[in-house]
Amino acid sequence: PQVDGRGIELLRAAGVEVEIGVAAEKGRRLLAPFRKLVEHKRPWIVAKWAMTLDGKLATRSRNSQWISNPASREIVHRLRGQVDAIMVGSGTASADDPLLTARPPGPRQAARVVVDSLGSLSLQSQLVQTAGEIPVLAAVGAEIDRLHSESLIKAGVELIQCPGDDHLQRLDRLLTQLGARQMTNVLVEGGGRLLGNLFELDQIDEVHVFIAPKLAGGEQAVSPIEGNGIEIMEQARQLEGLKVERVGDDVYLQGRIIHRK
């Protein structure tokens, strides 16, 4: 909105020949995250997960280390270094105690965001212990433990109030707040409930999936996208620009979601 064609006018006034429409499709793909932020006030959501060949993020006991191989995890660290924030749910934060940093550091230092309605993030977690060095934001609801939340604030965690009647409403408000903070790209690393809620909101824009040649089995094992899901296969989201490559024994897929109209 601050430019809106005036850059072209300035170039032409300076005597520079300007041709419009060259590599238009590539330009749209390149600018898609920025356009979403400007037009919809929401960040571009990149969903990442590693799963077994039978589609499990973790075993029935929630153990997940490690599904993917070291080379795949190096790619994830590069992704982390290219985004404005890395988001996980409270279950993933509790089960995995992740640090959510890029190692080695990338061109950006991403804030860590935990979707934690009850504000239950452990004070002993790696996230809280490093909050003074790298920002940690906890998205909380109205029913939080005041004493614990005060301890989180003292440790350097910023609490973002996201009121709402259910998880979807609270998550929707969180995305609005992240957009207001000019966060363009947000990498979501799980778990299944958070990814399921983003799927319900139709807010997943891009996926990066690592498939390991392993089988976990089990009805209670964690799946990548939980929630209600679709009713008929015709409603399934399609990917475009799909890229598939081998990373050691893993298969790495990436593509963008074709959103419903």
Side-chain angles (χ1 to χ4, degrees):
Q2 289 84 1
V3 181
D4 195 20
R6 288 188 290 278
I8 293 174
E9 295 173 3
L10 286 170
L11 288 170
R12 285 175 170 161
V16 177
E17 183 179 344
V18 179
E19 187 174 347
I20 296 174
V22 177
E25 181 56 33
K26 288 184 179 179
R28 277 193 289 270
R29 285 185 60 82
L30 179 66
L31 292 171
F34 175 70
R35 287 181 66 90
K36 183 181 180 183
L37 181 66
V38 171
E39 295 176 1
H40 301 286
K41 315 300 182 188
R42 301 289 183 83
W44 183 264
I45 299 298
V46 181
K48 165 264 160 185
W49 65 84
M51 67 182 186
T52 59
L53 193 58
D54 55 339
K56 306 300 182 183
L57 290 183
T59 66
R60 64 177 186 236
S61 65
R62 298 191 67 87
N63 177 260
S64 63
Q65 297 182 346
W66 292 100
I67 292 176
S68 57
N69 63 37
S72 292
R73 298 199 293 274
E74 286 181 12
I75 294 173
V76 173
H77 281 286
R78 290 202 295 271
L79 285 172
R80 288 177 175 181
Q82 298 168 358
V83 298
D84 301 298
I86 303 164
M87 184 190 299
V88 296
S90 58
T92 297
S94 175
D96 296 348
D97 189 24
L99 191 56
L100 301 180
T101 56
R103 301 182 293 277
R108 301 185 191 179
Q109 186 182 76
R112 286 86 54 85
V113 181
V114 182
V115 181
D116 185 15
S117 296
L118 298 177
S120 59
L121 186 61
S122 171
L123 296 174
Q124 283 70 49
S125 67
Q126 291 194 91
L127 289 169
V128 174
Q129 292 296 312
T130 58
E133 305 161 25
I134 303 172
V136 175
L137 287 65
V140 300
E143 298 178 1
I144 59 174
D145 184 311
R146 297 297 173 185
L147 187 60
H148 186 70
S149 64
E150 288 175 4
S151 297
L152 287 173
I153 293 171
K154 288 179 181 178
V157 176
E158 180 182 354
L159 302 188
I160 304 178
Q161 297 292 332
C162 298
D165 295 332
D166 55 33
H167 290 301
L168 290 180
Q169 284 188 11
R170 290 191 287 272
L171 183 57
D172 193 56
R173 290 189 170 116
L174 171 61
L175 296 180
T176 299
Q177 294 204 46
L178 296 181
R181 292 167 182 252
Q182 297 299 299
M183 290 187 176
T184 307
N185 295 277
V186 173
L187 177 65
V188 181
E189 297 200 16
R193 180 183 296 177
L194 174 58
L195 287 168
N197 286 336
L198 287 166
F199 183 78
E200 294 284 337
L201 292 171
D202 199 26
Q203 286 297 316
I204 297 177
D205 300 296
E206 185 174 334
V207 295
H208 291 252
V209 181
F210 299 87
I211 304 173
K214 301 174 182 178
L215 299 173
E219 291 181 70
Q220 303 303 316
V222 183
S223 298
I225 298 179
E226 298 179 353
N228 294 324
I230 60 172
E231 292 187 12
I232 56 175
M233 195 52 66
E234 189 180 44
Q235 298 171 336
R237 306 293 191 275
Q238 295 280 350
L239 296 183
E240 62 180 358
L242 185 65
K243 297 179 182 178
V244 183
E245 64 179 282
R246 284 280 298 272
V247 182
D249 289 336
D250 293 349
V251 176
Y252 173 33
L253 295 91
Q254 58 175 299
R256 292 185 173 187
I257 299 287
I258 301 174
H259 289 286
R260 59 193 177 198
K261 303 299 182 181

